[in-house]
Amino acid sequence: EPERGFVMALDTLFHLGDDDALFVIGFDPAGRPAGFLHFAVAPRASALSLSSMPRLGSTPNGFNEWLICEAIAWAREARFRQVSLNFAPFAALLAPEAEVTGLQRVQKRALLSLKGHFQLDNLLLFNRKFFPRWERRFVVVERRRDLPRVGIAALAAEAYLPFQSARR
């Protein structure tokens, strides 16, 4: 089945070189690996970008949150300026406190109706636990008729669509 959950799919695990990736591994009380975070390293920006965070089903709730907090603390000591958790599309529109216009209310309802396929609001709620600084992103197109094609490309890039890459 397609992978579900919070996988940002920036890259394929283990395809980055030693200086380009960081793994944060969490262990259970018996010392066995129970899950990990995979970050892509962006040295010029002095940043880490979360790529995936799988864990065993037997790990307790809050395990990934604990790993993220540990990773942020380590990154601060290692003098990284930024830790990017993920790209959360429509964050301004889906935020519970968002003041929206009538048209935006319709857009929000449409996005939430896709919840079984895209868990955008769950991703937003997960991110909010870390009090992030949101950075707005924009899509610029020449013609409105390009929007569907651009939308499909963006969904495929974020691994929301089941397209297979040539590497896989």
Side-chain angles (χ1 to χ4, degrees), residues 66-142:
W66 169 72
L67 275 181
I68 289 170
C69 289
E70 291 294 316
I72 291 170
W74 176 87
R76 185 177 292 130
E77 287 179 21
R79 304 243 184 249
F80 281 94
R81 290 194 341 249
Q82 186 174 9
V83 176
S84 177
L85 294 181
N86 54 52
F87 171 66
F90 308 108
L93 186 62
L94 294 173
E97 72 280 357
E99 293 182 24
V100 294
T101 65
L103 176 59
Q104 288 173 324
R105 240 187 321 279
V106 171
Q107 292 169 336
K108 184 174 185 173
R109 241 181 285 132
L111 287 170
L112 292 174
S113 74
L114 300 171
K115 189 174 177 116
H117 304 286
F118 309 104
Q119 298 189 21
L120 301 176
D121 59 329
N122 290 351
L123 180 62
L124 176 64
L125 291 174
F126 179 84
N127 289 342
R128 291 169 66 89
K129 295 176 187 180
F130 303 99
F131 303 101
R133 182 185 77 239
W134 297 101
E135 294 184 18
R136 295 180 66 165
R137 302 287 193 257
F138 299 91
V139 175
V140 179
V141 295
E142 283 188 51

Side-chain angles (χ1 to χ4, degrees), residues 146-168:
D146 293 337
L147 278 174
R149 187 172 35 181
V150 169
I152 289 170
L155 290 170
E158 291 294 322
Y160 284 120
L161 296 177
F163 299 142
Q164 294 293 325
S165 73
R167 290 192 298 188
R168 294 182 189 166

Side-chain angles (χ1 to χ4, degrees), residues 38-49:
H38 176 252
F39 289 94
V41 179
R44 287 184 162 229
S46 185
L48 299 174
S49 185

